[in-house]
Every structure is written in C-alpha cells, then in structure tokens.
Amino acid sequence: MHILLPPSEKKAIEGDGPPLDLASLSFPELTAARKRVITALTRACRRRDAPETLGLPAGQVDEALARNKALKEAPALPVARLYTGVLYDNLDLPSLDPEAAAERVVVFSGLWGALRLTDRVPPYRLSMSVSLPPLGRLGTFWKPAMTKALRPSGLIVDMRSGPYAAAWKAPMPAVAVRVFRETVTGGVPKRTVVSHMAKATRGAIAHDLLDAGADPATPEELLKTVADLGYTVELNGTYLDVILTS
C-alpha cells in the first residue's frame, strides 16, 4: 500500500541542515524537471508580477519570495518535518515508525514533483495550480516526467487534492478518499462535501493505517480495514467515501 498526500501551504520556518542536494532526492528521474522548475521559479520571483503569478496572499509575499530565491543556499530539512497544517497535524508523523511511514507515503509538490518523507528540501512556496512562465501550468508540466518516474506496486490510497491528483494518474488498484458530512433533516439524509474536516480526516486515516501496520491489497480490504479502525465508510467505484455525522 502507498498513501499519496498533497503538500501543505503551511511549512516549517527554516531548515536546519545542509542545503539542497538534488541528486539525493527520491525519484531521480524527476531531476531534470526539478531543475527546470527551480530556474523558472527563481526568475518568476524577480518579476514585478511575481505575487500575482504565484498566487501569493498579500501578507505572505515577502516571506514566500525570499524563500523561493534562496532555494539553492537555504538549509534543508526532511519532508517529514517540512509540512505542517491540518492534514499533517492529524497525520502526526513523530508518533509513527519513521521507516514504515517513509516506505508507504509519497508527497506531491508543485516544485519537486514527488518526494519521500526522508528527502531533505528547503522551505518554499509554489502550488501545483500555478501557471509558471515559461513552463505553463505545473500540473500539466509534471505529468510526462511523473508518468515515467512513478511506478508503485500494490494498492494506492490517494488523498491528494485536485491539482496534485491531475499531475499524475494513479494506476489501478487505486482508491481516492473523499469526505462527506451527513445531516438528517425531516428524516431525509443529506451529504455535503467538507474542506477543513476533509484534511483532518484524511490525515487521521493515514495515521491510523500506518500506525496499525495495515497493508490492504484491494479496495475491498481497505474498506474493511478503515471500518475496523472506527470510521464510517463506503466504497463507491474508485472512491472510498468517509461519512462524518453531526
């Protein structure tokens, strides 16, 4: 089983080790594409329209641009400590077996393509949804290289958000995790998509699967495993739907 995760906009403030070594990163087939994105990002950050191009919130522009300009010199840190935010708070990597987590988890990134938790990179800011001159939309740019580089075996549990899922289509058997809240009004159940709680729930499920040492081989086995972990779930085609009740 492999668990695919998106990155997080929230990241550690700074690294604490040697600077970036591209040759040391997992999925070395992505090295050439990574170099192109770094070059394009560095140039984009020098432009007047950098905040608009990169979709940076007003209060985060200076910090984000400074990080992106210093990618080659800044201290790096493991991916396991880089990303913070709701999903990663609930994933709670420090409480898990680091070797097992590193073997199972792949994190997708607009800048690096795909990473293992043991890879060391500096803090940065670049979403997969950005159209980065001259490369174009990053989800489209990454797709050919990712198709060649990523060849996982076994069941894939896909917890990525839309732009990251578009960058690489997981081969079968693969199950995408969706989260719904169910309410009952006048005896009629109604389900709605949730966002904040979806991140928390995906992180919690990923944590529980890793903590249990689970290794389901089929979507049906995943359904039973997640249900046994205490979640209300349904298998709908290629989706594992998690149902939250009020």
Side-chain angles (χ1 to χ4, degrees):
M1 176 189 68
H2 283 83
I3 299 175
L4 311 185
L5 297 179
S8 172
E9 289 186 359
K10 292 185 177 180
K11 300 177 181 68
I13 296 175
E14 59 185 1
D16 56 6
L20 173 68
D21 177 10
L22 281 176
S24 72
L25 300 183
S26 302
F27 311 111
E29 299 91 341
L30 298 177
T31 299
R34 288 166 174 156
K35 289 180 178 178
R36 292 182 64 189
V37 178
I38 289 173
T39 298
L41 178 59
T42 302
R43 291 175 178 172
C45 287
R46 298 193 187 108
R47 295 168 44 147
R48 280 189 170 184
D49 63 351
E52 293 76 22
T53 298
L54 302 180
L56 301 175
Q60 301 175 23
V61 170
D62 291 343
E63 179 183 10
L65 294 182
R67 287 182 173 187
N68 289 344
K69 291 175 181 178
L71 287 173
K72 296 181 180 180
E73 300 83 23
L77 74 166
V79 170
R81 291 195 285 112
L82 172 65
Y83 298 112
T84 60
V86 175
L87 188 152
Y88 287 88
D89 287 346
N90 284 271
L91 177 57
D92 192 17
L93 285 170
S95 70
L96 297 172
D97 180 330
E99 292 186 5
E103 181 181 354
R104 301 288 188 191
V105 173
V106 179
V107 180
F108 283 70
S109 162
L111 178 54
W112 313 109
L115 296 166
R116 295 284 188 183
L117 294 174
T118 50
D119 289 326
R120 299 182 65 93
V121 295
Y124 68 96
R125 183 66 179 265
L126 182 64
S127 170
M128 188 70 82
S129 61
V130 165
S131 183
L132 186 65
L135 304 180
R137 191 164 296 278
L138 289 172
T140 302
F141 168 80
W142 277 113
K143 189 175 294 186
M146 300 267 248
T147 300
K148 294 180 180 179
L150 274 60
R151 297 180 292 273
S153 60
L155 178 68
I156 294 174
V157 183
D158 194 347
M159 298 189 176
R160 297 173 295 170
S161 50
Y164 296 92
W168 181 71
K169 183 177 180 180
M172 302 303 290
V175 177
V177 178
R178 303 188 298 191
V179 182
F180 297 91
R181 180 171 297 282
E182 183 174 275
T183 57
V184 179
T185 304
V188 179
K190 179 181 180 181
R191 292 179 180 176
T192 55
V193 177
V194 295
S195 54
H196 179 85
M197 283 305 298
K199 294 179 181 179
T201 302
R202 290 187 181 111
I205 290 176
H207 173 276
D208 291 347
L209 287 170
L210 294 167
D211 190 48
D215 191 18
T218 66
E220 291 75 18
E221 289 181 12
L222 176 67
L223 175 70
K224 183 179 185 306
T225 300
V226 176
D228 288 345
L229 289 170
Y231 297 90
T232 300
V233 286
E234 298 173 357
L235 191 61
N236 292 308
T238 58
Y239 294 101
L240 181 74
D241 292 340
V242 186
I243 312 303
L244 308 177
T245 56
S246 298

